[in-house]
Amino acid sequence: GLGNISSRALDTLSTTAKRASIAMGGLGAALGGKSLKEAGTFETNLANINTLLRVSQEEINAFGKDIQKLSLTVPVDQSLLNEATYDVISAGITDTGDALKTLESSAKLGVAGLGSTKESVDIVTSALNAFQLPASDAEKVAGIFFNTVEKGKNTVADIAVGFGQVA
């Protein structure tokens, strides 16, 4: 299932990403100003997300920290997670806990299913909405899509195109 395969794939990718991160550490130090720019971009992305959520500064900051924690466990670039978070919220999943779980399931699907987090968020949230499922079913939905990828000759990107036409 998605849990076993994606865990193995994510462990391998995570190890690779950590090695790359260590190797890039020196470059990051040399480019010091870039991290300040990324921090500003993150804050801008959170502000954009909060135009949909309309929660307090404390709540959006806590949500931002949760997204950052997710970026440490799923090998997806922080900026891509931020964009995908906006898409999750736009799809109507406005509870931050549900949104984070949907984002995590979608990000794992994207990695394991050879697609992007954005494509995975699109098909998972489209399925949740089309079949009137609660956001708590996001992991199950992602699992169904992963099984489709695993047993067929397609990727998440392929499914995203087709599913968008029928959902």
Side-chain angles (χ1 to χ4, degrees):
L2 177 64
N4 292 337
I5 291 174
S6 67
S7 290
R8 280 184 273 153
L10 291 176
D11 286 347
T12 301
L13 287 169
S14 180
T15 300
T16 303
K18 286 177 186 172
R19 287 180 185 153
S21 175
I22 291 168
M24 295 300 289
L27 180 60
L31 300 174
K34 185 175 182 204
S35 61
L36 291 176
K37 180 181 176 192
E38 288 173 357
T41 301
F42 181 72
E43 293 301 320
T44 301
N45 287 332
L46 277 182
N48 291 339
I49 290 166
N50 205 23
T51 62
L52 300 174
L53 287 177
R54 300 176 192 256
V55 296
S56 71
Q57 192 62 45
E58 293 78 24
E59 290 172 291
I60 197 65
N61 288 343
F63 188 47
K65 287 180 182 173
D66 289 338
I67 297 167
Q68 287 176 319
K69 286 178 192 171
L70 180 60
S71 74
L72 299 174
T73 61
V74 178
V76 175
D77 185 81
Q78 176 73 54
S79 64
L80 299 175
L81 286 176
N82 293 342
E83 291 172 18
T85 301
Y86 186 89
D87 294 343
V88 170
I89 305 293
S90 291
I93 302 173
T94 56
D95 175 84
T96 56
D98 287 341
L100 195 64
K101 288 176 188 169
T102 301
L103 179 64
E104 180 177 14
S105 297
S106 298
K108 288 178 179 179
L109 173 63
V111 170
L114 303 176
S116 71
T117 301
K118 186 171 184 62
E119 291 163 332
S120 296
V121 162
D122 184 37
I123 61 174
V124 169
T125 58
S126 292
L128 292 172
N129 289 333
F131 296 102
Q132 299 178 349
L133 299 171
S136 58
D137 283 345
E139 187 173 359
K140 290 178 192 171
V141 169
I144 291 168
F145 284 122
F146 180 76
N147 286 334
T148 303
V149 169
E150 183 180 39
K151 294 182 181 8
K153 292 183 177 182
N154 50 34
T155 65
V156 165
D158 298 331
I159 294 171
V161 171
F163 195 77
Q165 295 171 353
V166 297

